[in-house]
Amino acid sequence: MSSPKTIKENIARAKSYGQRKDYLRCLHALSLSLDDLAESQVFGREKFEIGILVDEVIRQLLGMEELQKVLPRTLKYTKGQEKKLAALLLKIHNTIKDAFEKAAVEKIRKQKNQIDKYVLTGQKFLAEKNVKEAKKYFRKITDAFPEERGLLQDVGSRLVKSGFPADGVEYLERAITLTPGDSRPYISLLLAWELMAEHDKALEVIKDISRRFGANESIYVRQSKLFLAKRMYTEAYDAAAAVLKINPLNREAKKISDKLGPKVFGRNYKPGQTTADVSKAKAQSKKPKASVSLNLDGSGESKEKDTSKKEPAKRPPAKTIKLDF
């Protein structure tokens, strides 16, 4: 059971909502306060003061332009009718809230329909290779709903796949800026740079993809092909080798690996080895070898070869022989 102080505080909260023209919260808060008042044991002066506060909030509600067609003009607070008034206010609140929700749903539905209409019309012009007209529709819809999730990526991807990669780049870069956690625009942007033979830009996109989402078999293959196009044979070979570590049956990676292996390693090439493997082998071959000396008793003792130069043993000074003639 609420105390008079709590009820007053709740009504004051409803009044604050009314001052901010937040009529939905005002209606809800006042309804709950009246319910509490009906169930409480408040009498005398305190109930009179609470009644004055309720009247003030009701006058606020009646003065709101948004509620003039909803609230009955005879709305007022009557002692002993708190439950009835609370139920009426809550019903008005729920009616308005439901109307808002339906309007929001209808607005979203219309927006989706408009997006579909413009995108499909643009796609129709793309099929006719009329990119100028297609871009008019794409521009209108992306400017109207720039925050629509996936729209920029969808438009950019359609342009790239229809053979207009340069036109798709703008939309895809905007999509990445808007949703950097979505991998789809990165993949479409990579395809755009590949189609335009912009190898360095494509490799930069692969670097971003690897950093944000991690590389996979497909990304390594594309990276290998890009390095191959730039005649960076060692890098192309290593990317292909990375693929074969993930999937030894990948045909594209094996073809690149077999083609570049002899070019990178020469006659010493062994299928499957990487430049890291070769570097490791070379480092091990440079380590000093141990020599084994056998003692007469048959025991063996391993000693490291002394590679330092030994100074030649000093000869004893020659004796001077004096001859008397």
Side-chain angles (χ1 to χ4, degrees):
M1 187 178 293
S2 300
S3 65
K5 181 182 177 183
T6 304
I7 294 171
K8 287 180 180 179
E9 287 175 352
N10 290 337
I11 296 173
R13 187 176 293 109
K15 184 177 180 180
S16 175
Y17 288 138
Q19 289 171 343
R20 287 183 277 169
K21 303 296 181 182
D22 190 347
Y23 49 86
L24 273 179
R25 286 186 176 180
C26 181
L27 285 165
H28 191 257
L30 184 58
S31 172
L32 294 178
S33 301
L34 288 167
D35 261 335
D36 289 342
L37 181 60
E39 294 174 1
S40 66
Q41 300 294 324
V42 181
F43 302 99
R45 181 184 177 86
E46 287 180 330
K47 190 160 188 177
F48 177 76
E49 290 175 351
I50 290 173
I52 293 174
L53 293 174
V54 172
D55 283 334
E56 287 179 1
V57 179
I58 289 175
R59 282 197 297 272
Q60 274 185 324
L61 291 169
L62 289 170
M64 293 182 189
E65 187 178 347
E66 297 88 349
L67 298 178
Q68 286 179 359
K69 294 181 180 179
V70 181
L71 293 178
R73 301 310 301 172
T74 56
L75 184 70
K76 66 177 184 178
Y77 168 64
T78 305
K79 292 179 183 178
Q81 299 294 315
E82 290 86 2
K83 274 282 183 185
K84 187 176 179 180
L85 181 57
L88 175 62
L89 293 175
L90 186 60
K91 183 180 178 181
I92 293 170
H93 166 273
N94 292 339
T95 302
I96 296 172
K97 185 180 177 183
D98 290 344
F100 277 163
E101 289 175 351
K102 287 179 181 177
V105 170
E106 182 63 19
K107 182 181 178 181
I108 292 171
R109 189 185 66 80
K110 287 182 178 179
Q111 178 176 313
K112 296 288 186 185
N113 287 341
Q114 189 178 359
I115 289 171
D116 289 344
K117 180 182 176 182
Y118 275 66
V119 169
L120 291 176
T121 304
Q123 183 63 48
K124 181 183 175 182
F125 282 113
L126 281 182
E128 298 170 0
K129 299 300 178 184
N130 189 346
V131 68
K132 187 176 180 180
E133 283 299 315
K135 285 175 67 178
K136 284 182 183 179
Y137 285 90
F138 291 151
R139 181 75 63 190
K140 283 180 183 178
I141 204 65
T142 53
D143 288 347
F145 307 109
E147 302 298 321
E148 178 68 18
R149 186 172 180 83
L151 178 59
L152 290 167
Q153 186 273 332
D154 182 30
V155 169
S157 179
R158 287 174 185 272
L159 286 163
V160 173
K161 290 178 180 178
S162 297
F164 303 100
D167 297 297
V169 166
E170 173 199 345
Y171 294 97
L172 294 169
E173 288 181 339
R174 284 171 60 191
I176 288 171
T177 302
L178 187 66
T179 54
D182 187 356
S183 63
R184 294 175 300 168
Y186 289 91
I187 300 300
S188 296
L189 183 60
L190 173 57
L191 177 60
W193 292 132
E194 286 173 337
L195 291 173
M196 290 188 284
E198 292 282 358
H199 304 131
D200 290 330
K201 291 180 179 179
L203 286 168
E204 281 299 317
V205 176
I206 286 179
K207 191 184 296 183
D208 288 341
I209 292 172
S210 301
R211 186 175 65 250
R212 290 180 179 274
F213 311 104
N216 55 32
E217 186 178 338
S218 174
I219 291 298
Y220 279 132
V221 169
R222 294 168 82 165
Q223 186 182 44
S224 180
K225 288 179 178 179
L226 288 165
F227 280 132
L228 186 59
K230 287 171 62 65
R231 296 186 178 182
M232 298 173 67
Y233 299 127
T234 302
E235 290 81 357
Y237 177 85
D238 281 342
V243 176
L244 294 173
K245 283 186 177 181
I246 299 171
N247 178 13
L249 301 178
N250 189 294
R251 292 182 179 180
E252 288 184 289
K254 191 172 186 311
K255 185 178 178 181
I256 295 172
S257 178
D258 291 342
K259 179 181 177 181
L260 296 181
K263 192 183 290 288
V264 174
F265 301 107
R267 294 180 180 178
N268 297 324
Y269 168 64
K270 294 178 182 178
Q273 70 179 354
T274 64
T275 52
D277 295 334
V278 174
S279 299
K280 186 178 179 181
K282 285 182 179 178
Q284 288 178 344
S285 66
K286 289 181 180 179
K287 288 183 179 179
K289 295 180 180 179
S291 61
V292 179
S293 63
L294 298 176
N295 295 328
L296 293 176
D297 59 0
S299 64
E301 183 184 357
S302 176
K303 294 182 180 179
E304 287 193 358
K305 238 182 179 179
D306 188 4
T307 55
S308 61
K309 292 182 179 179
K310 292 183 179 180
E311 292 184 9
K314 292 184 179 180
R315 294 181 179 180
K319 292 182 179 180
T320 306
I321 300 174
K322 190 174 181 183
L323 299 175
D324 293 329
F325 291 98

